[in-house]
Each structure stands twice: as C-alpha cells, then as structure tokens.
Amino acid sequence: MQLLDGKAISSQIKFEIKNEVEAWIANGGKKPHLAAILVGADGASETYVASKIRSCEEIGFTSTLLRFGPEISEKELLEAVEGLNNDPDVDGFIVQLPLPKHISENTIMEAVNPAKDVDGFHPVNVGKMCKGLPAYISATPFGILEMLIRAKIETSGKHCVVIGRSQIVGLPMSILMQRNEYPGNCTVTITHSKTQNLKEICQTADILIVALGRPEFVTADYVKEGAVVIDVGITRVVDETRKSGFAIKGDVDFNDVAPKAGYITPVPGGVGLMTICGLLTNTFKAAKKEIYS
C-alpha cells in the first residue's frame, strides 16, 4: 500500500503557486484575490473556509470572507453574490455549500459570474468541461486529478467506479475520468443510492472514488486487491475521547481497506487539502484571465 499524501502533495503545489505569484506580481501583475461567502455555521464548512484563508496568506493571495447568519434570505444572498460579481478587485469567489434549505443552491450558483466561478459549479463551466473546452474544473475533482498525476498512476483502460453522483464531485469526476487524455481514458461506472449490487460493482474497480458522505461506509470487502482508493468523504463524528469532542472520518474505513489497496488517501490529510489547491489554482487562472479574457 502506498499513501496518497494530500499534505505533501498540496504543500508542493502551494510552493509552486507561491513562486508563480511572486513572479507574476514582480512583472506588474495584480495580487490574486479570492473571496468566500459563508452562510450559517456548518462544521465542515467552517473547517474548509478557515483552511482556505490560511492557504491564501501562505501563497500571497488576498482573501475576503463574507459571513451571514442562517436566516439570510435568498434575495439578500443574491445581492451579496452580485456585489462580488461587480467588484473589480475580486478575481474569483465561492459560495460555500451547503446552504440553508430555504435557499436554492442552483439559483445561487447560476447567479455567479462564470468568469469568477472558481469552484467550477456554474452551468457554463460545467458545460465547457464536458466539451473539453477551457474551463474552471471543480476544485475537488481537480485535486484528485493532480493526485493521480503526481503519483504517476496509470488510468488508461482502467475501470473507474465512482460512488456518488453529486454535481460537486461524482458527476464531474465521472466525466473527467473518461475523457481522451491523461488522467482519463477509463471505463467509468457511476453508482448511487439506487444502485443494485453496489459491492459487487466496486469489487471490479481498478480506481474507486468514494464521495457519498457516509462515514466508513466502504470496507475491505468492497475493494479489489491493489485498487487505487480515493476517499472524498469528510464527516465530523462525535468522539468524547478527543479534546475537540469529534473526529474527522472519511467514507472509507481506512484501517480495514488500507492493507488491501495499492494506493489510498487518508482522511484527514488527503483529498480535502487538494481541494484547496484546486481552488487556488483556479483563482490564479482568473487573476491572469487565462479562461475568460
């Protein structure tokens, strides 16, 4: 078993971006500016946004956080989105999900200017990605692709099984893994809550990407010997033995699966850190006007 160490890989990527940003600014470029909107106080969202802010400071970005209570109306949130759309200093921004139930996530995502949609959720960016055109790729799938590239994991001709069909991870991941380039050229099976014989399908996977939000759902009997196992899950689970009162768990039972896997990502310290890198990369592209002039 080889560990796909998100901490080590993300540190290397951030080091590379930092050097590029310094050179960009030295040549007269504008300091990249990433903003985030956070609604409510979801634990996982708080953790992610805090990590984003730290990362921006590390690599020389400007960062802005707009906080709103869970009672904010959809109209008020749309106004905040429009304010960032029209702010010439903000290169890219995210609206942290999930949002309260009275707010339509699709309505909010579609209100984001595609040129500033560094999360890659807007239909314009999703459509461009599907057609293989230049676009912001969703941050988590982007991070997973980077892991595969830097570990030099062969994907061509492999069977990739994705558990989960979310617009954030599962759907874009299934599209990216079948495209005619590296990483890609996989035969892809996307599975979900209505899939029959899920365990048997997973047992045929050379690459298993798990993104369903159920702590330690995947055990060793789901996994083919030597498979690449990518765990996207991140859930706070009550743990009274810890000072914080909780533990972070992935969707894969790491201790059970690791001895059987060829490669595996830990949680924490895996895909979550790579997601930040995807976001930073997209923001720098936005600052340089690489995708949208």
Side-chain angles (χ1 to χ4, degrees):
M1 184 274 292
Q2 294 189 58
L3 195 68
L4 287 172
D5 187 347
K7 186 175 182 180
I9 299 172
S10 65
S11 293
Q12 180 62 35
I13 292 172
K14 284 193 284 189
F15 177 76
E16 293 167 2
I17 297 174
K18 184 174 186 290
N19 287 340
E20 290 178 25
V21 167
E22 288 173 352
W24 166 256
I25 293 172
N27 287 323
K30 171 187 165 297
K31 190 175 185 180
H33 185 172
L34 173 63
I37 293 176
L38 179 60
V39 179
D42 176 77
S45 295
E46 291 275 3
T47 300
Y48 176 64
V49 170
S51 180
K52 174 201 75 71
I53 291 170
R54 285 195 303 272
S55 296
C56 284
E57 292 172 353
E58 288 174 24
I59 66 171
F61 281 19
T62 298
S63 69
T64 299
L65 173 60
L66 302 181
R67 282 182 174 272
F68 298 99
E71 71 285 348
I72 188 174
S73 69
E74 183 171 284
K75 180 176 181 293
E76 289 170 324
L77 188 54
L78 285 169
E79 289 172 354
V81 167
E82 192 59 22
L84 293 177
N85 281 341
N86 294 327
D87 187 339
D89 192 60
V90 173
D91 297 300
F93 68 95
I94 67 169
V95 181
Q96 182 61 37
L97 304 179
L99 293 173
K101 294 191 186 318
H102 66 278
I103 297 176
S104 166
E105 292 184 353
N106 282 336
T107 297
I108 299 301
M109 292 301 103
E110 289 174 21
V112 177
N113 180 346
K116 294 190 177 187
D117 168 42
V118 289
D119 249 340
F121 293 162
H122 193 282
V124 168
N125 282 315
V126 174
K128 285 186 170 186
M129 178 199 70
C130 290
K131 290 183 67 66
L133 298 172
Y136 300 127
I137 296 173
S138 299
T140 298
F142 178 94
I144 293 170
L145 295 179
E146 278 296 311
M147 280 185 143
L148 296 173
I149 291 168
R150 293 185 184 241
K152 297 182 173 60
I153 292 172
E154 182 56 67
T155 60
S156 182
K158 304 297 183 183
H159 183 203
C160 175
V161 173
V162 181
I163 307 180
R165 54 183 167 182
S166 74
Q167 295 179 39
I168 298 172
V169 181
L171 179 62
M173 209 65 242
S174 67
I175 293 167
L176 292 164
M177 291 302 287
Q178 58 77 44
R179 62 187 178 164
N180 187 22
E181 58 183 273
Y182 178 76
N185 283 309
C186 288
T187 298
V188 179
T189 301
I190 186 164
T191 66
H192 45 76
S193 59
K194 301 296 189 293
T195 299
Q196 297 183 14
N197 304 318
L198 176 62
K199 184 182 291 185
E200 288 76 9
I201 294 170
C202 292
Q203 289 168 346
T204 68
D206 302 301
I207 301 170
L208 181 62
I209 301 172
V210 191
L212 76 164
R214 293 178 59 182
E216 299 185 328
F217 176 84
V218 170
T219 50
D221 54 342
Y222 277 74
V223 178
K224 176 181 179 180
E225 192 76 38
V228 177
V229 180
I230 308 289
D231 187 353
V232 183
I234 177 167
T235 305
R236 284 188 177 190
V237 177
V238 174
D239 186 344
E240 295 179 355
T241 66
R242 294 173 179 261
K243 185 177 180 180
S244 64
F246 64 87
I248 302 294
K249 297 289 185 181
D251 291 345
V252 175
D253 186 335
F254 183 89
N255 291 333
D256 193 40
V257 171
K260 198 173 183 179
Y263 291 85
I264 189 169
T265 61
V267 175
V271 172
L273 295 171
M274 297 300 298
T275 296
I276 299 286
C277 289
L279 189 61
L280 298 174
T281 299
N282 283 345
T283 301
F284 193 29
K285 287 181 178 180
K288 294 186 291 183
K289 310 281 192 240
E290 278 190 16
I291 307 297
Y292 297 90
S293 60

